[in-house]
Amino acid sequence: MKQREYLWAYSFIAAPILGFLLFAFIPLSYSVYVSFTDYSGYQTPVFNGGDNYVKLVQDELFWKTLRNTLYSALSIPIGMICSLGFATALNQKIRGIRFFRTMFFLPTISSVIALTLLWKWIFNDTYGLLNHLLELIGIQGPAWLSSERWAMPAMIIQGVWSGLGINIVLYLAALQGVPRSFYEAAEIDGANGWQRFRHITVPCISPTTLYILITAIIGALQDYPRFQIMTEGGPNYSTTTIVYYLFQNAFRYMNMGFASSMAWILGFIILAVTLLNFYFSRRWVHYE
Amino acid sequence: MSTRIPTASGPWVSHKQAKERTFKGFAYLFLSAGALVMAVPFLWMLSTSLKQQGMEFEMPPKWIPQHLEWSNYHFVLFESDIVQGFVNTLLIILLPCLVGLFTSALAAYAFARLQFPARNLLFGLLLATMMIPGVVTMIPTFMLFKTIGWIDSWMPLIIPGMFGAAAAVFLLRQFFMTIPKELEDAAKVDGMNPFHTFLRIMLPLSKPALITQGLLNFIAGYNDYLGPLIYINSPEKYTLQLVLASFQGFYTSQWTYIMAGSVLALIPTLLVFFFAQKYFVEGIALTGMKG
């Protein structure tokens, strides 16, 4: 009887487990090997020890793309603060909540390509909407995407704008889960609005904050298509992210081995950041 | 939009109520400003898509063009590959969406309800795939598919998705755990086997969860750019997103076409979201909450 149930269960989970082996485990194992070889994607890989990794550490461009990626991740705290603000406002008993939610959610359901093409034009220094609007308030806007200094800030603005929707929905759900009685008790104790926000709301929604933080960091470290469309990594590599560089090496210069070693370094960075996140989260995340 | 103060407390509004009213006022102001920032780019997209060529660079921009140039849409629909791309996209995402949803649900049910050795270990293994950064698997998966001759075919975009996805298994498992166990016990007494129970009882009950997950899969598949970019070379096999991206090269200065194409590409997901907003928001909230 028990055995029969086991058999059913195993046949039920067979597909995802097989998928895991075929499309995650086997490729991963192979890529460890490839990262230690010279491989163009055409001939057989030639083992070259840790050459790829040595080359990588000495590669100035790699470090630059790493710094760029970290710089682009500035969109995470900015986006989180904005979305918490909007979610708090949405959490009032107000009319038109569906309308506002839809507006903020629009970029989330739109394709990255359409949005990126759109913003590419918005940022255009002569014909773009942004500089026109800035002019209306008397500011001479920069040549956003073609200036080394402003290209990344432009990408950050676009990143914050397009990421708001999903974070607002997550925060709104969390805010609605905070027990009302907490606020009432605090009010009786004479806590003002800011104090209630700081000492009740923020701790109560901290699991969601952690979730957003972790997924956003993993996403930001792998951000790629919008950079390719909007700036092609330029000017002067100022918006080449690490994944962009990896992609170029793998599919343009056909350095699959080198690109694989880069993927693994990035993989370890992501893993380390995630673990650190979990480690420090014990100090600020409160579960019921 | 005005906020009415309940009249039960008489014509005098208490200090607290007045404060709440001010706060609400600020909330509206803040939200409206935010909504405007979100809307302006889309309105510009729409407005540009209806402009005559040559008028799109006019500054200050005319938000409502004097002459609505519908021929931009005509051009994009009939002279570009956008319809072909749309059909290709639908063909590609149909099987992964439906079959993947089914296999994910089946596995989720087993992990939620059935007893078997190494259950937690296998579930953990599956969850680990969610942690592996996509870039690490990108190159070796590409080489794997190259070895079996799947490059420049739709196979890499269709087949893996049919095996189900860890995130979907995770979300659906959460739903199944909330369904009362008595229902299944009754089915067992009636002599139903686990597959029957799943098909007849669990699936119908979890319709909202399935719809949520199906929609998420649809939108993700529809908007996917990286997958097709890596695997597809022949223009006739391009997905909608690749066609859209190629506009940039083909019609370098024709922003009116690019914007018309973008508006057209947006319509399907917009409709899906509009009609299923309730499930959508619920599902997303749930995945997030359990993270």
Side-chain angles (χ1 to χ4, degrees), chain A residues 5-6 9-10 15-16 20 27 39 41 93 95 101 103 105-106 109-111 117 120-121 127 161 222 228, chain B residues 24 28 37-39 48 59 115-117 129 134-135 140 143 146 163 223 225 241 248 266 269-270 273 277:
Chain A
E5 189 173 316
Y6 295 168
Y10 284 128
F20 164 78
Y39 183 43
K93 270 207 182 65
R95 279 188 227 175
R101 212 164 49 187
M103 291 317 295
F105 212 68
L106 268 180
I109 53 170
S110 312
S111 81
L117 289 172
K120 189 178 177 178
W121 195 22
Y127 307 115
W161 180 87
Q222 299 187 60
Q228 191 217 350
Chain B
K24 243 184 215 182
Y28 269 116
V37 172
M38 300 316 279
T48 307
M59 279 294 157
Q115 294 298 327
F116 54 94
T129 48
V135 288
M143 292 188 290
K146 212 178 106 182
F163 285 84
N223 286 335
Y225 170 67
Q241 302 304 330
Q248 200 191 199
L266 191 67
T269 45
L270 204 61
F273 180 71
Q277 201 191 133

Side-chain angles (χ1 to χ4, degrees), chain A residues 171 174 201-211 281 284-287:
Chain A
Y171 265 137
T201 313
V202 171
C204 278
I205 61 169
S206 55
T208 300
T209 304
L210 178 67
Y211 175 83
S281 75
W284 60 270
V285 176
H286 302 262
Y287 296 98

